[in-house]
Amino acid sequence: MTNTVDEIAGAGAILVTGINPTESQPVIGYRIRQAVRNGAKLIVADPRRIQLAEIADVHLQFKPGTDIALFNALAHVIIKEGLQDQEYIETRTQDFQHLKKMVEKYTPDYVAKITGVAAEKIITAARLFAQADSGSIFYAMGVTQHTCGTENVVALTNLSLLTGNLGKPHAGMYPLRGQNNVQGACDMGCLPNVLTGYQPVHSDRDTGTYWQRLKGAVSRQPSAVSREEAGADSSVIESIEFDEPISLNMSVSDTIRAKFSRAWGVELSDVPGRTIAEMFHYFPHRRSRIMYIMGENPVLTSPQAELVREALEDMDFVVVQDIFLNETAQYADVVLPAASFAEKDGTFINTERRVQLIRRAIKPRGDSKADWEIIQELANRFGLNWNYSSAEEIWDEVRELTPHYFGGMSYERLDAGGLQWPCTAIDHPGTPILHKSKFARGIGQFSTVEYRPLAADATDEDYPFILTTGRKLYHYHTRTMTGKSDGLNSLIKEERMEINPQDAEGLGLDAEDTVKVTSRRGSIKSKINLTDRVPPGLVCMSFHFAESPVNVLMNPAVCNMSVASGLKSCGVRIEKA
Amino acid sequence: MDKVVLKLDDLEVMANKEDTILQAALDHGIYIPHLCYHPDLKPFGGCRLCVVEIEGRGLTISCKAPVEEGIAVRTEGPEIDKMRRVAAELLIVNHYSECLQCARNTDCKLQDIAAYIGIEEGRLQRLKRTARDLPLDDSNPFFIRDPNKCVLCGICVRTCEEINGVGAIDFAFRGLDTRISTLKDKPIVESRCESCGECVVRCPVGALVPQNMRKPEREVKSICPYCGTGCGIYLGIRGDKIVSARGDRDSVVNKGQLCVKGRFSYDFVNHPDRLTTPLIKRNGVFVEATWDEALDLVTAKFKEAQEKYGPEALAGLSSARVTNEENYLFQKLLRSLGTNSIDCCARL
Amino acid sequence: MPVRTVLLGQGTCCISAGAKQISAALREEIARLDLAGTVQVKHTGCRGFSQIDPVVIIEPEGLLYSEVKVDDAPEIARSLLPQGQPIERLFYRDPVTDRAIPHHRDITFYNKQQRTVLKNCGYIDPEEIDDYLAVGGYQALRKVLSEMTPEQVIEAVKRSGLRGLGGGGFPAGRKWEACRRVPGDEKYVVCNADEGDPGAFQDRSVLEGDPHSVVEGMIIAGYAVGATKGYVYVRAEYPLAVKRLGIAIAEARERGFLGENVLGNGFGFDIEIFQGAGAFVCGESTALTLSLEGARGMPKPLPRPRTTEVGLWGRPTLLNNVKTFANIRWIINKGAEWFASQGTEKSKGTAIFSLTGKITNCGLIEVPMGITLREIIFDIGGGVPGGRTFKAVQTGGPSGGVLPEGLLGTPIDFDSLTAAGSMMGSGGMVVVDEDTCMVDLARYFLDFTQKESCGQCSLCRLGSVQMLEILNAITEGNGRIEDIDLLIELGESVKIGSICGLGQSAPNPVLSTIRYFREEYESHILEKKCPARVCKGLISYIIVSDKCKACMICLRKCPVEAIKGGKKEVHVIDQDKCTRCGVCLSVCPERFGAVEIIPGREVKIHG
């Protein structure tokens, strides 16, 4: 996120797309509603009539997969009506003319035909967003989990740049994080190509296709949000969304590897690793033989889960480290019991880049141990000689190796309420708003992205419905945590696929029927929820319930840039079960 | 911020220009009885208890009256006391009086008011108690609504509207039948309510109380383990169990606000299904093992495979739930073992 | 050309008395007698004299036929023939002198009134804009738009001394000026037609009888304060008013008095009707505004911005009552000075009351400010009927105060009524006689207001209920002497402490009856007697042995077999068994009149 949660309530205009914050990030949802109460104009672009659509000034209910056309049409209207922030464009961006030329053909009328959204609504939305004092854009998996996920983000970024909304209060881009420490996992280097603070681990010696794709992908990976070019002015972070593929300089990555090698006392490989999709789906010949899975449940969260199961079964050895014996643990050879968040010290990084302390409140259950303790014991069995006695010691090592992000964030300072990276020195106040005076590269880049009809998993005679996925307020992820709450289970007991009553009637379905949902990859069963939150032709499910593992149906085809899977829509057939 | 100086009783105080008289008084340690005022919400002015007198102007409700330079405010006096006492007595006499049986006992604003006013049994006895026996609404698994204890301060209504923007409840009916109701007076669980519990936190009396939440012995500051918002929380601990949670009002992220998961859903921590010992799969069945057995086996298998297929045979999937420190060590371990195949679920 | 006009009131009250059927019958007869060319039947609003509805007036003679029935239609039609004669048996008879009065101008109920706001009610057809135009309608608007600046209009309203006729009495001109002064290009004019007092019907009568006068007043107000949009918040229980107002607005729009360019002047103004939710409290300005916005109508506590500053949807809003707007055209046409010359020093113009209760001439009256209560009740109202004695008058609606005979000299104006412990309020005026128990009366009104409390403020919601409970106890014979002081303490607290006018005035009936009729409370409490013989718990039914003819009727009808006696044996009521249902009294033949009610429960059995 370029800006903070605290600023939301003061936004002038808010565009919400591909996210349903009132269910997936409720407190942020409250803030958006508060902003509307305070007078903010709200534009919701979503195929579903999500709750926020009810209080929106405009709801752009587009056909799934037509995001780019819609966003380009908004840019078209803004430019055509001269609503863009010309001074900002001139002083802080480049290639505006390219964008202008590209969006020329995305007239409201043309895009209305593609998206199914009335031209007047597109015009109204564009005006509302551009004419507000400040405009922020909220998005998440609904935008990124498409085969064109990265292009979607680029198109949104164009809107933000066009209206001068990057680098000022109550504005910016809000890619909302679904889990408490996704940001931290990425920032800590749990990505195949970078170390902490996005310091590249690989050299460009490997020029194979695998690497090239990866290089492009990770550098433009939207959920990684930001990356710091090592050696650049560390107080300035560039926004990845409009970044060109990184042209790495070998000496930089070599220097970084050398730094880490020295600190860790080991030699580091410069071969980039596999992404999660590749670990399970692609290149069976290059599949890993051993999986060490900590606190994840890919059997339910990955697309076409059948392949994940197969891959796990096929492995030589699988270690799962978790607090519960989840669905993935069933495939493990060894299960290591971990402590929960309440049983250890440490830090999380939230969606606004804020590093915050968690504190041990109770003892670990039984013989379970904090993950860091388990990892350390394992490391020492490999002779690595680690000797951390507290989470703080580990964190200090992170700070030392990642000064451009975390240098100034001592536990003592974090205790006072957390700090937002970058925070480079002990007297640095942290960075609530990114790109305030300039972008890391110095200049914001407009990029051109064209709309292409969804090819990967379109509807046809056999698969006439589009299935999309979403989250529910009363559950979280695969319910390893929320499934243990009787209260939450009583509020939502089972999966109920949202289907428009018109479609249900056409299929002869009654409210209490169970349906079989079949995609090109498999089929699952679910109860239904008759609701006009989904338009005819669209159905929606969550991935919370193991009994209705929706990701079995999904297409593992990945975004060709970000390697995010196309989890958000696929063609399905629906029958009474 | 602009300041003004005013007199509160005999005290000269400086207050923010935007403050109300009540806020200024409370900030300076002067208690003015109030029931429907809450610092997070717009003033309502319904309970009529916070009445004060601005010298030369007469009585006014201090929760709505802004401070002004040079005014002299009296928080007590014969006329104030008369009206305030009557208002308080009316509320008390119409309120459920079995305090020991109430979950809000010792934490009740009406008790504070009763203590401040000083109850005179004789005066209360002159008044008629209006019996109300409305059904409880315990349809929500996390909290109970007891309309019989409700003082109609409207804090829950305003919280739902102003804080969370849900608007699940409002005043309904008239006269003595007035009560807080959902649309069409349905059980709360069938309303728009999102179970966030913000109203429960703010209810000044026992009309909204948590279900199955016990008083903690101590509290530990932490961060909510659910979504990426990163709300500050205080976990309430009793013995070795989490028994409650509340939002951290000092957190700049959530300012005390929480959602249903962050406030009510910590059962998983103490759940009997928690893994408490390492497990090794033998002949397809998990068997309990010691740490040494498990870790030795893992070490051996890792080494074996890496020797056989090379270092890249090992891949790790890190977690969006565990701490930074743990994620850091996880990738450090894998990279130290020669592989960069580490990913997390950022894209899932 | 018609030479005669038959005016037939078609207000809600007239219709309920059968005016529709009479109209149909009359028209049929007129057609049958081939009089259609010379006689025109015109539907008008109500003329206010409800006591004698339905009324038929023949102009130009000014003949008034009272209490007309459908069967009278042929005779009335025949009387309109060239050789026709007035129908004497339908003339109004003065209840005091019993003299027949042929002409409406001679009827005291009318000729003591001074009708300004109600002037057209009963004379013009409210559904015909041309009728309104014929009596000078929209001339004021033309004058304002062509000759006056908004400031001049406001100045005129200020000079006229007009005060808000919704009951509050706030100087209208000052309100208009305040609204004009607030900057903003989006302002609203709201007409309060939420007449919640069940005993008052003046707003309804004006809307039913002369809706254009309200429309015209609102347009002028819009011009003066700088608003472009008006709303009329009218009770949904007034369907006829809603209908006629809707017709008037449509006609006004058609003729260019409403719309984007009023009379080609460039000023744009339009009016929308909003039907209220039927809550008494929605007559309060902030509650009304909330209700208009679609929220629950609950008054906003002071201190708060005035509606003129932050009103409807947060915009500056001018809120006035129906009657206030209806006065505007007169102020413009006849001049502020003309208006100011009427009434008293501080209350100018006229006041409208719905005169009801134990009164000979019940109906809607418009009187100059400053007239005394006595003049209204005895001259216009004809006093208390049936030889009963006047006891008190309650003014201002359910939360008005009750004034005794000694205060009948009180002049009608905002300040005098308030000083006496009552108010102008909704313009209700209920006369009660010796058969009314003042404790019960207070209880009755409080029961209404406490049910209508919006419930948000503790004093009004709980305090009024507490007072009601105490009154219930007193009327049931369970009162304690200290209850009177408790009622005063509670009442005064509710008065000073409540948020809105409803709560602030709800204790009035109680406080004023205690003030003027304290001895009745004391009788109830100390002697356990209801002097007016109303409160069931404090009365006894007795059979006067001298009058009892031992007819067995009451004995048989008594549901609890409390009456002893037999044929030729004088009946006696067993007071322990008697439930005071009153059946014996109602069945005792009038010529005997043997059953009587006496105050108190300790009955000495005579003879």
Side-chain angles (χ1 to χ4, degrees), chain C residues 295-311:
Chain C
R296 175 181 167 92
M298 297 211 292
K300 292 182 185 165
L302 287 166
R304 55 166 161 77
R306 292 188 181 284
T307 305
T308 45
E309 292 158 21
V310 182

Side-chain angles (χ1 to χ4, degrees), chain A residues 122-333:
Chain A
I122 297 174
I123 294 169
T124 310
R127 287 178 185 159
L128 286 176
F129 188 75
Q131 287 173 339
D133 293 340
S134 58
S136 42
I137 300 177
F138 288 72
Y139 64 95
M141 301 303 188
V143 160
T144 59
Q145 280 184 347
H146 277 289
T147 47
C148 53
T150 304
E151 287 108 318
N152 285 346
V153 176
V154 169
L156 286 175
T157 309
N158 284 338
L159 285 177
S160 198
L161 281 175
L162 201 52
T163 48
N165 272 313
L166 277 177
K168 71 177 190 187
H170 310 297
M173 304 279 283
Y174 285 78
L176 297 185
R177 299 304 206 163
Q179 297 186 70
N180 58 331
N181 204 29
V182 189
Q183 186 70 50
C186 296
D187 294 349
M188 289 304 112
C190 289
L191 293 170
N193 60 328
V194 291
L195 289 149
T196 57
Y198 307 94
Q199 303 177 76
V201 70
H202 48 71
S203 74
D204 52 1
R205 263 174 302 163
D206 185 345
T207 52
T209 52
Y210 170 57
W211 154 232
Q212 267 187 336
R213 180 174 49 72
L214 192 66
K215 184 173 80 168
V218 175
S219 66
R220 303 185 64 145
Q221 205 285 89
S223 47
V225 181
S226 301
R227 183 192 55 80
E228 170 78 16
E229 274 183 70
D233 174 5
S234 58
S235 67
V236 184
I237 296 297
E238 101 187 344
S239 175
I240 200 78
E241 290 90 0
F242 42 88
D243 187 19
E244 289 289 291
I246 315 156
S247 57
L248 279 172
N249 159 335
M250 188 198 283
S251 67
V252 171
S253 66
D254 283 350
T255 313
I256 290 164
R257 265 198 317 284
K259 176 173 84 174
F260 278 86
S261 291
R262 219 172 20 254
W264 293 355
V266 293
E267 272 307 305
L268 293 185
S269 163
D270 61 359
V271 180
R274 297 167 187 77
T275 65
I276 185 168
E278 289 154 352
M279 289 175 195
F280 295 125
H281 294 162
Y282 291 108
F283 310 106
H285 57 287
R286 286 199 59 179
R287 251 186 208 158
S288 315
R289 302 307 312 163
I290 294 187
M291 280 295 295
Y292 181 8
I293 300 171
M294 172 172 75
E296 277 306 330
N297 198 3
V299 165
L300 288 190
T301 57
S302 296
Q304 209 175 357
E306 205 42 51
L307 286 183
V308 176
R309 289 205 177 90
E310 266 172 35
L312 286 171
E313 269 168 7
D314 182 47
M315 301 241 175
D316 289 7
F317 195 68
V318 175
V319 181
V320 166
Q321 182 170 312
D322 212 302
I323 63 173
F324 289 107
L325 201 63
N326 63 24
E327 289 74 8
T328 303
Q330 307 299 336
Y331 296 86
D333 296 288

